[in-house]
Amino acid sequence: MSTEVRVPENLWEEDSEAVITSWLASDGGSVSEGEMIAELMVQKIQYELQSPASGTLKIIKDIDDVVEKGELVATIG
């Protein structure tokens, strides 16, 4: 069973979008729960996205993709 990695809904108050600026883990690579796996930019503020589980990362959204709160960006299986 896969764990979904979604853009957190509590990082910023406005309904603005975020941009994925980098993936800190590789697609198909092994990640640990709590590990920083991506960076998001919202209104010139950089946020780090943590892995919610341990397993193999499957990236769905690419660097420079614009994403919204709650949007699925990866899975961990």
Side-chain angles (χ1 to χ4, degrees), residues 3-15:
T3 300
E4 295 180 337
V5 180
R6 294 186 175 272
V7 177
E9 297 196 24
N10 60 349
L11 286 183
W12 63 94
E13 293 184 17
E14 292 86 30
D15 286 334

Side-chain angles (χ1 to χ4, degrees), residues 3-8 10-11 22-25 31-40 47-54 57 73-76:
T3 300
E4 295 180 337
V5 180
R6 294 186 175 272
V7 177
N10 60 349
L11 286 183
S22 68
W23 281 101
L24 305 174
V31 295
S32 299
E33 184 175 351
E35 179 181 345
M36 298 302 168
I37 57 172
E39 293 179 323
L40 306 172
Y47 293 97
E48 293 179 329
L49 187 60
Q50 291 184 347
S51 175
S54 296
L57 180 67
V73 295
T75 60
I76 299 172

Side-chain angles (χ1 to χ4, degrees), residues 27-73:
D27 189 39
S30 180
V31 295
S32 299
E33 184 175 351
E35 179 181 345
M36 298 302 168
I37 57 172
E39 293 179 323
L40 306 172
M41 178 73 70
V42 180
Q43 298 177 352
K44 298 183 182 181
I45 299 172
Q46 192 83 14
Y47 293 97
E48 293 179 329
L49 187 60
Q50 291 184 347
S51 175
S54 296
T56 302
L57 180 67
K58 171 62 179 149
I59 295 173
I60 296 171
K61 296 291 185 175
D62 293 321
I63 293 173
D64 294 328
D65 279 358
V66 176
V67 293
E68 297 180 6
K69 292 179 181 180
E71 189 167 345
L72 182 67
V73 295

